[in-house]
Amino acid sequence: MLHSENKISEPNDQKEVSSAGNYCYRYPHAAVTADCVIFGFTGKELKILLVERGNEPYLGYWALPGGFMRMNETIEQTAARELAEETNLTNVFLDQFKVYSRVDRDPRERVITVAFIALLKPDDYKVVAGDDAVNAIWFNDKMLPPLAFDHKEIIQEARQYLKEILKLKPVAFELLNKVFTIAELQAVYEVINSANYDRRNFLRTALDSEIIKEVPDENSHSNHRISRLYTVNHNFLPSHAFEATTFSDDIFPADSKSQVKSDNNYVEAESFEKSALKEEIKEEKERKTPTKGLFDFLRNLSSS
Amino acid sequence: MLHSENKISEPNDQKEVSSAGNYCYRYPHAAVTADCVIFGFTGKELKILLVERGNEPYLGYWALPGGFMRMNETIEQTAARELAEETNLTNVFLDQFKVYSRVDRDPRERVITVAFIALLKPDDYKVVAGDDAVNAIWFNDKMLPPLAFDHKEIIQEARQYLKEILKLKPVAFELLNKVFTIAELQAVYEVINSANYDRRNFLRTALDSEIIKEVPDENSHSNHRISRLYTVNHNFLPSHAFEATTFSDDIFPADSKSQVKSDNNYVEAESFEKSALKEEIKEEKERKTPTKGLFDFLRNLSSS
DNA sequence: CCAAAAGTGTTACTATTACACCCATGC
DNA sequence: GCATGGGTGTAATAGTAACACTTTTGG
C-alpha cells in the first residue's frame, strides 16, 4: 500500500555510489535498533548491565547494550543476538516494552530503538559477572552513571515496566534459578516493588496460590540455617496459563467476506453479527464473575 | 497503512541523495509504520475500525489504519496523524503496545510496524460512525473479516493488551464520555474481560474505590428508568496517579562518573553503592507491605 | 399494564493482616 | 555460644460473594 516502487537497490546496480550510501530508497528510512535493559538478579539485588561508550557521540558515557536490526532477522532476534554477544547467554527471558523514536535522540542519523528487558537468573548473573570478554559493568539499579542518548529514560521506564508485568505474568521466576528459596522469591518481589513483606504472610500467600511447590532435594545454600527449596509448579502454571492465552484461530470464515462489500462508509458490519454463537454467548453471560481486583490499579498508582 | 501513498514526507532532512533522487544509506534500512487498532465503544459493545484495501497485495482484504513514519515525527505522532486522517478525531487515548517485525510480513519491502491501540468514547464513536469521508467500517471485535498482513495477530494481541492495562491503569474511562452511567462502566469491564458482574457488587466496588463520584446533573438517557450519572474522580485520581509515576530526575550526580572508570570487566560497581541514601532506604524497609494481590496474575491466566 | 432497566442491604464466608518465639547452622 | 537467617500459628479484621424484590419509565 505504500510506495510499491520503493525497491531496495543492490549495491552493484548503483552507478553513483557515494562513499556512504549503497542502499537506496525512494523515501527516507530511519535506522532501527534494539536496546536491552539487562537485569541481573544476584539472589538479593537487582543489577543492570551497561557498557561504556568508546566513540562519539557520548564518548565515555554508559549505554545499554544494543545494535542495529539486520534485514534477515526480527527485532526479537536482534535483541537476542546483542544479548548473546554481550553475555554469551541464550535462552534468556526477553520482552520488548517500548519504542523510543524522538527525532533527535541520535545526533548522527534518525534512529528509533525498540527497548527490551532481559531477566537473568542468579546462575546467569554469576556467569556474566565472571566473564571478562567485554567492557561492561553491573550497576546497582538505583545508582546509575551518566547515560548516553535517552537511555536514562529507557531504564527508568524499564523498571516501571518490570513492576507492571510482575503483576500480570510469572516473570519473577525468570529471575530465579530452577530451584530457589522462599527468601529469594520474596527478594525478587521486594526489590521490584520496593516493598518489604512479612515472611510468614509471603510464604502463605505463595503456597496458597499453588504457584510453587517444595522440592525435597539436597540443599547446599551456605546460609546459616538450611532453607527449604521450591520450584515453579509447572504442572499447574503453563497449562492454565500460556496455552489459554491463545485465541481460537478461525473466528471468521474466509468466504463470507463478500457479505461486507458495501457502499456505505462507516456502517455497522451487521451481517457479521448474525452468528450461531450468539446463543452460547448469552448462556455464558449468565455466570457471574467476582468483582475482586477490578480497581486495584489505584493501589499501584499511589505506591509507584 | 492505507492512504499513505501520497503523504510521505518530503526529501528535506536527508543528506545523502543519489542522482535517482533516492535516499541512500550505507546499510539496509527497514521501513517503519504505525498501525492503530481503533476500539470504539458504543455504550454496550466494543468495535474495531478497519479499512478495505484497494491495492495489491491483499487486495480486498481488510487492514488496520496506519502509515509510514516521517522523518520529522515520532512514532506516536505518526499514529496520531493516521488516526486523525481516518477519524478526524484528536485527543484520543493512544498507546503503543508492540512492534511487529517478521521479515516477510510485507511482501514488497522490509517493513516493521509499531502497533497502537486507540480508545474512542461513545461520543467519538458516533462522530466516526456518522462520517462518510473514508471507506472504513466498524466491526464487532468477535467477528472480523479476512485481514491483510499480520493484522489478525495484531488485533488479537491488542485485545489481550487492553485487558492487561485495564488492570494497571484507568483506561476504562478512555472508553467513556466525561459523564457516564454505572451500567456503561460495567459494560466496559464486562466486554474487555469477557466477564459478567453482579450489579450491586460492581457498584459498591467502584464507589468504595472512590474512583468515581456521582454527578447531580440533568439526565436524558432514553432508557427505561433514568440512571444516575457519574464521572471520574479527578481530584482523587490524577494527583496520586500520574504524577507519582514520574521518577525523581537526578538519581546520580554527573560528576562522580570518573569513579567508575575501571579496568576490570564485569566487576561490581561498588563505588556507586556508597550513598548517603542507604540509611534512609533501610529505614523505609522497616515498614511492612501487604502481600495482597501478589500472585493475582494466576487469576488472569486461567480466565484469559 | 407490561417490559426493561435501575435502585437497594444483609448475611456468610474468605482473605488478609499483624504479630513473637524457637530452631538450625556456621563461625 | 552467639549471630544470622529459617521456620511456624493464630486471632482480629476487612473484603468479597451471593442473593431478590421494588421502583421508575416508555411504549
Side-chain angles (χ1 to χ4, degrees), chain B residues 269-280:
Chain B
E270 304 279 4
S271 45
F272 288 91
E273 300 175 19
K274 290 157 197 153
S275 159
L277 299 176
K278 220 165 186 180
E279 218 82 24
E280 297 176 52

Side-chain angles (χ1 to χ4, degrees), chain B residues 95-109:
Chain B
D95 196 22
Q96 64 162 266
F97 69 94
K98 192 172 164 191
V99 173
Y100 293 83
S101 61
R102 249 185 34 223
V103 170
D104 60 350
R105 58 181 295 282
D106 190 313
R108 295 160 300 180
E109 183 189 5

Side-chain angles (χ1 to χ4, degrees), chain A residues 34-38 48-53 62-67 78-90 92 118 120 124-125 127-138, chain B residues 265-266:
Chain A
D35 285 324
C36 296
V37 183
I38 305 174
I48 295 175
L49 190 66
L50 297 174
V51 292
E52 191 174 11
R53 285 186 58 79
W62 295 76
L64 296 169
T78 309
R81 179 172 52 75
E82 295 291 338
L83 178 74
E85 285 171 8
E86 208 62 58
T87 66
N88 294 316
L89 290 171
T90 53
V92 170
L120 305 199
D124 298 336
Y125 175 81
V127 169
V128 176
D131 190 347
D132 55 1
V134 217
N135 182 26
I137 292 188
W138 287 109
Chain B
N265 304 324
Y266 283 115

Side-chain angles (χ1 to χ4, degrees), chain A residues 173-197:
Chain A
F173 306 101
E174 304 295 339
L175 287 165
L176 294 169
N177 299 329
K178 204 170 223 165
V179 164
F180 50 85
T181 66
I182 277 288
E184 287 170 333
L185 180 60
Q186 185 170 342
V188 169
Y189 275 86
E190 292 188 337
V191 171
I192 295 177
N193 290 333
S194 308
N196 181 30
Y197 304 107

Side-chain angles (χ1 to χ4, degrees), chain A residues 44-105:
Chain A
K44 287 193 176 163
E45 289 177 285
L46 207 55
K47 305 268 191 178
I48 295 175
L49 190 66
L50 297 174
V51 292
E52 191 174 11
R53 285 186 58 79
N55 303 315
E56 290 292 351
Y58 293 102
L59 177 68
Y61 284 67
W62 295 76
L64 296 169
F68 288 93
M69 183 182 74
R70 296 179 183 165
M71 288 300 107
N72 60 352
E73 67 186 6
T74 65
I75 197 69
E76 282 80 11
Q77 288 168 338
T78 309
R81 179 172 52 75
E82 295 291 338
L83 178 74
E85 285 171 8
E86 208 62 58
T87 66
N88 294 316
L89 290 171
T90 53
N91 279 351
V92 170
F93 177 88
L94 260 177
D95 195 22
Q96 61 162 268
F97 69 96
K98 193 172 164 191
V99 173
Y100 293 83
S101 61
R102 247 184 37 222
V103 170
D104 60 349
R105 58 181 294 283

Side-chain angles (χ1 to χ4, degrees), chain A residues 4-233:
Chain A
S4 28
E5 332 52 357
N6 189 2
K7 289 176 183 166
I8 297 169
S9 310
E10 290 310 303
N12 6 359
D13 297 343
Q14 207 66 22
K15 288 198 169 177
E16 296 184 54
V17 177
S18 75
S19 56
N22 294 342
Y23 295 89
C24 298
Y25 307 88
R26 185 158 170 190
Y27 297 100
H29 281 41
V32 178
T33 60
D35 285 324
C36 296
V37 183
I38 305 174
F39 291 101
F41 186 62
T42 63
K44 287 193 176 163
E45 289 177 285
L46 207 55
K47 305 268 191 178
I48 295 175
L49 190 66
L50 297 174
V51 292
E52 191 174 11
R53 285 186 58 79
N55 303 315
E56 290 292 351
Y58 293 102
L59 177 68
Y61 284 67
W62 295 76
L64 296 169
F68 288 93
M69 183 182 74
R70 296 179 183 165
M71 288 300 107
N72 60 352
E73 67 186 6
T74 65
I75 197 69
E76 282 80 11
Q77 288 168 338
T78 309
R81 179 172 52 75
E82 295 291 338
L83 178 74
E85 285 171 8
E86 208 62 58
T87 66
N88 294 316
L89 290 171
T90 53
N91 279 351
V92 170
F93 177 88
L94 260 177
D95 195 22
Q96 61 162 268
F97 69 96
K98 193 172 164 191
V99 173
Y100 293 83
S101 61
R102 247 184 37 222
V103 170
D104 60 349
R105 58 181 294 283
D106 191 314
R108 297 161 298 183
E109 184 188 3
R110 182 75 201 275
V111 181
I112 71 167
T113 197
V114 184
F116 285 77
I117 59 169
L119 303 181
L120 305 199
K121 308 166 192 304
D123 284 352
D124 298 336
Y125 175 81
K126 277 178 206 137
V127 169
V128 176
D131 190 347
D132 55 1
V134 217
N135 182 26
I137 292 188
W138 287 109
F139 286 87
N140 186 303
D141 72 321
K142 298 258 160 78
M143 296 283 125
L144 297 173
L147 292 158
F149 308 106
D150 49 4
H151 289 189
K152 181 176 173 184
E153 182 190 357
I154 295 176
I155 292 173
Q156 287 173 347
E157 297 190 9
R159 278 297 320 250
Q160 184 63 28
Y161 179 73
L162 184 54
K163 198 169 175 174
E164 288 174 357
I165 56 169
L166 186 62
K167 297 194 185 87
L168 298 172
K169 284 161 194 163
V171 286
F173 306 101
E174 304 295 339
L175 287 165
L176 294 169
N177 299 329
K178 204 170 223 165
V179 164
F180 50 85
T181 66
I182 277 288
E184 287 170 333
L185 180 60
Q186 185 170 342
V188 169
Y189 275 86
E190 292 188 337
V191 171
I192 295 177
N193 290 333
S194 308
N196 181 30
Y197 304 107
D198 180 273
R199 267 165 40 237
R200 291 160 288 189
N201 292 339
F202 186 89
L203 175 60
R204 179 180 27 251
T205 306
L207 287 176
D208 286 357
S209 78
E210 294 183 89
I211 195 170
I212 57 169
K213 65 180 176 205
E214 199 175 336
V215 162
D217 225 333
E218 82 293 343
N219 36 31
S220 61
H221 280 255
S222 62
N223 293 333
H224 294 279
R225 179 170 174 175
I226 299 158
S227 306
R228 296 201 179 155
L229 298 177
Y230 297 86
T231 192
V232 189
N233 196 345

